[in-house]
C-alpha cells in the first residue's frame, strides 16, 4: 500500500492545544464498521456502548521527563531526548543537533548528571551512558522536562494533564493519549456497571510516532518498544473471551501490546519483552474486538492501524466528517470509539 492512501486535509486550527476540562467532556465519535454508521456523543456517555462483562485494557505507562538540556565542553547547547532504557546507566536517545554530536562527546547537565555518547542507533539516534550521583529517577525529575508533541505550541499549566489518571509504570517518552479522557470517577462507574478493567504496559517511544518516510508502507520499520503483561490481565482476557464479552483496547499502544503478545484468539503471553509490531490494512486481529482511540496524524502508522481495524475508506470518511463537525485532533483532542472490527 502507498503512503498517500492514508493522507487527509486537516485545518491547523483543529489541532487541540489544550486539554479539555473535565477530562471526559471531550466529544466521542462512535463508529460501527460493520453497519457503516457514525454517531456523535460525549465521552462521559461511553457506558451506553458497553455491556457488563466487557473488558477495557489500559496502558498504565507514565511519561518521564525525557527531555534534557545540557552543554558540551565547548559550551554548545545540546538536547538529549530519552527513548528507551537499555540498562541501569545506558539509554537509546535522540540528540540535537545530531550531526554535531559525535561518538565520545561528553555532555553535562549540571553537577549531578552527565553523559557520554558511546554509539549510534540504526535510526539516527545516539546511545548514551550516564554518570550521576544519587538516584537517577530523582535527578531526572529535577532536571528533565516532560515532552509534549511538536504540534502543541502552548505550555501546559499542569504537567499531570499529559498523564493518565491510572499511570503506574515510569518509562514513556509520550503519553498513551486515548487514556487521557478517563477520570477516576468514570472508571469506577464503569467497574460498578460490570465492565472489567485490565492493565498492560507499553513504554511509548519513537516507534509509535516516527514518521513514515517510504512510499511503500510495507517497507517501514518500527522502533522497538518495551511491553509487559501481568498474569491477572491475561486471565481476565481469557475469561472475557470465554463468556462472549468484548476485549476493548484503550489506545493504539494497548492494541499493539495485546496483538504482539497474542497466542491465539483467546489468550496472550504473560511477561515482558519488546515489540516492533507494525499494524496496517491486511492485518488479522486476534485479541482486540473494539478500540478507543484519538484522531491521528495524516500518513502516520497510527492511522494505518485504525484503518486496518475499521477499513481505510470508512476511517477516512469518518475523519472528513470529524473535520466538517470541527472535532479537536491529536493528543489533547476528541476521541473515537470503534465498536467492532471489520
Amino acid at each position: 500500500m502507498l503512503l498517500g492512501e492514508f493522507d487527509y486535509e486537516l485545518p491547523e486550527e483543529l489541532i487541540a492545544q489544550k486539554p479539555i476540562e473535565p477530562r471526559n467532556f471531550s466529544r466521542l465519535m462512535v463508529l460501527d464498521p460493520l453497519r457503516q454508521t457514525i454517531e456523535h456523543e460525549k465521552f462521559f456517555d461511553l457506558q451506553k456502548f458497553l455491556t457488563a462483562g466487557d473488558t477495557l485494557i489500559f496502558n498504565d505507562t507514565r511519561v518521564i521527563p525525557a527531555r534534557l538540556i545540557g552543554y558540551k565542553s565547548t559550551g554548545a547547547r545540546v538536547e538529549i531526548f530519552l527513548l528507551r532504557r537499555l540498562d541501569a546507566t545506558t539509554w537509546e536517545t535522540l540528540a540535537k543537533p545530531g550531526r554535531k554530536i559525535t561518538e565520545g562527546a561528553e555532555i553535562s547537565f549540571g553537577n549531578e548528571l552527565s553523559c557520554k555518547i558511546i554509539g549510534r542507533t540504526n535510526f539516527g539516534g545516539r546511545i548514551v551512558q550516564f554518570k550521576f550521583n544519587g538516584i537517577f529517577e530523582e535527578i531526572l525529575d529535577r532536571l528533565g522536562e516532560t515532552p509534549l508533541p511538536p504540534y502543541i505550541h502552548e505550555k501546559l499549566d499542569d504537567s499531570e494533564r499529559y498523564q493518565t489518571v491510572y499511570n503506574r509504570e515510569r518509562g514513556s517518552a509520550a503519553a498513551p493519549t486515548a487514556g487521557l479522557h478517563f477520570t477516576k470517577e468514570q472508571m469506577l462507574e464503569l467497574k460498578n456497571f460490570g465492565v472489567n478493567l485490565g492493565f498492560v504496559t507499553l513504554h511509548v517511544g519513537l516507534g509509535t510516532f516516527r514518521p513514515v518516510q517510504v512510499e511503500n508502507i510495507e517497507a517501514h520499520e518500527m522502533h522497538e518498544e518495551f511491553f509487559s503483561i501481568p498474569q491477572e490481565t491475561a486471565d481476565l482476557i481469557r475469561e472475557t473471551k470465554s463468556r462472549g464479552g468484548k476485549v476493548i483496547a484503550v489506545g493504539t499502544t494497548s492494541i499493539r501490546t495485546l496483538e504482539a503478545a497474542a497466542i491465539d484468539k483467546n489468550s496472550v503471553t504473560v511477561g515482558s519483552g519488546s515489540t516492533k509490531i507494525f499494524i496496517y490494512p491486511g492485518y488479522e486481529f486476534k485479541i482486540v474486538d473494539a478500540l478507543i482511540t484519538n484522531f491521528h496524524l495524516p500518513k502516520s502508522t497510527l492511522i494505518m492501524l485504525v484503518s486496518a481495524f475499521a477499513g481505510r475508506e470508512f476511517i477516512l470518511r469518518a475523519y472528513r466528517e470529524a473535520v466538517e463537525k470541527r472535532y479537536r485532533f491529536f493528543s489533547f483532542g476528541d476521541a473515537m470509539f470503534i465498536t467492532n472490527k471489520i
Side-chain angles (χ1 to χ4, degrees), residues 153-181:
H153 308 300
E154 296 186 24
K155 189 175 180 180
L156 199 58
D157 297 329
D158 177 9
S159 62
E160 284 300 306
R161 271 311 263 109
Y162 193 57
Q163 306 279 6
T164 63
V165 298
Y166 49 82
N167 73 83
R168 292 189 287 208
E169 304 292 335
R170 293 172 56 108
S172 275
T177 55
L180 295 178
H181 302 281

Side-chain angles (χ1 to χ4, degrees), residues 246-259:
K246 284 186 176 181
V247 172
I248 302 162
V250 178
T252 55
T253 59
S254 294
I255 203 171
R256 291 178 64 241
T257 302
L258 295 176
E259 293 298 317

Side-chain angles (χ1 to χ4, degrees), residues 222-287:
M222 298 287 282
H223 184 62
E224 207 168 67
E225 293 169 311
F226 171 87
F227 74 89
S228 177
I229 300 177
Q231 183 69 56
E232 60 197 73
T233 299
D235 292 343
L236 185 58
I237 288 169
R238 192 178 300 107
E239 291 164 9
T240 302
K241 292 284 191 177
S242 68
R243 294 193 306 265
K246 284 186 176 181
V247 172
I248 302 162
V250 178
T252 55
T253 59
S254 294
I255 203 171
R256 291 178 64 241
T257 302
L258 295 176
E259 293 298 317
I263 298 171
D264 51 38
K265 291 186 178 293
N266 299 302
S267 56
V268 295
T269 302
V270 173
S272 60
S274 295
T275 180
K276 298 173 71 173
I277 189 170
F278 177 26
I279 297 175
Y280 55 89
Y283 178 85
E284 183 179 343
F285 291 87
K286 302 175 183 67
I287 297 297

Side-chain angles (χ1 to χ4, degrees), residues 141-153:
D141 284 341
R142 288 194 294 273
L143 301 181
E145 301 174 10
T146 300
L148 291 177
Y151 49 76
I152 294 177
H153 308 300

Side-chain angles (χ1 to χ4, degrees), residues 17-309:
Q17 296 297 312
K18 292 279 189 180
I20 200 165
E21 296 293 347
R23 288 174 181 257
N24 63 349
F25 272 54
S26 57
R27 296 167 75 183
L28 179 68
M29 177 181 278
V30 182
L31 304 186
D32 186 335
L34 301 181
R35 295 189 299 140
Q36 293 283 292
T37 58
I38 300 175
E39 300 175 67
H40 304 280
E41 303 285 345
K42 289 285 190 179
F43 198 85
F44 53 69
D45 285 326
L46 176 65
Q47 183 176 308
K48 289 167 45 177
F49 303 96
L50 303 177
T51 301
D54 288 344
T55 293
L56 291 170
I57 302 293
F58 301 86
N59 179 7
D60 65 4
T61 189
R62 178 174 177 82
V63 183
I64 61 173
R67 182 177 286 116
L68 287 164
I69 305 300
Y71 296 88
K72 296 168 66 176
S73 58
T74 60
R77 184 180 185 272
V78 172
E79 178 182 308
I80 297 293
F81 191 99
L82 306 180
L83 290 176
R84 188 166 71 103
R85 193 170 200 160
L86 302 178
D87 59 37
T89 60
T90 311
W91 286 74
E92 282 186 358
T93 71
L94 292 177
K96 295 181 182 179
R99 279 180 286 184
K100 295 186 177 181
I101 304 175
T102 56
E103 194 167 334
E106 296 192 5
I107 300 160
S108 174
F109 307 99
N111 296 330
E112 302 177 275
L113 184 67
S114 64
C115 75
K116 183 176 182 178
I117 309 298
I118 62 171
R120 290 174 175 263
T121 68
N122 59 7
F123 57 85
R126 301 291 187 272
I127 306 294
V128 308
Q129 188 167 51
F130 284 100
K131 294 180 182 178
F132 49 90
N133 296 312
I135 299 173
F136 181 79
E137 288 76 10
E138 293 179 358
I139 296 170
L140 191 62
D141 284 341
R142 288 194 294 273
L143 301 181
E145 301 174 10
T146 300
L148 291 177
Y151 49 76
I152 294 177
H153 308 300
E154 296 186 24
K155 189 175 180 180
L156 199 58
D157 297 329
D158 177 9
S159 62
E160 284 300 306
R161 271 311 263 109
Y162 193 57
Q163 306 279 6
T164 63
V165 298
Y166 49 82
N167 73 83
R168 292 189 287 208
E169 304 292 335
R170 293 172 56 108
S172 275
T177 55
L180 295 178
H181 302 281
F182 284 89
T183 64
K184 289 181 179 179
E185 294 77 13
Q186 185 173 16
M187 292 176 73
L188 181 59
E189 289 170 4
L190 291 171
K191 190 173 181 179
N192 290 337
F193 174 68
V195 173
N196 305 299
L197 310 181
F199 298 88
V200 298
T201 302
L202 183 136
H203 291 324
V204 187
L206 186 65
T208 300
F209 300 101
R210 181 183 175 198
V212 179
Q213 297 177 322
V214 291
E215 188 56 31
N216 178 2
I217 67 167
E218 295 176 33
H220 176 73
E221 185 175 353
M222 298 287 282
H223 184 62
E224 207 168 67
E225 293 169 311
F226 171 87
F227 74 89
S228 177
I229 300 177
Q231 183 69 56
E232 60 197 73
T233 299
D235 292 343
L236 185 58
I237 288 169
R238 192 178 300 107
E239 291 164 9
T240 302
K241 292 284 191 177
S242 68
R243 294 193 306 265
K246 284 186 176 181
V247 172
I248 302 162
V250 178
T252 55
T253 59
S254 294
I255 203 171
R256 291 178 64 241
T257 302
L258 295 176
E259 293 298 317
I263 298 171
D264 51 38
K265 291 186 178 293
N266 299 302
S267 56
V268 295
T269 302
V270 173
S272 60
S274 295
T275 180
K276 298 173 71 173
I277 189 170
F278 177 26
I279 297 175
Y280 55 89
Y283 178 85
E284 183 179 343
F285 291 87
K286 302 175 183 67
I287 297 297
V288 179
D289 303 301
L291 171 65
I292 297 169
T293 187
N294 279 17
F295 292 87
H296 305 295
L297 276 71
K299 299 182 179 180
S300 65
T301 60
L302 303 182
I303 196 170
M304 294 170 192
L305 185 155
V306 295
S307 294
F309 199 79

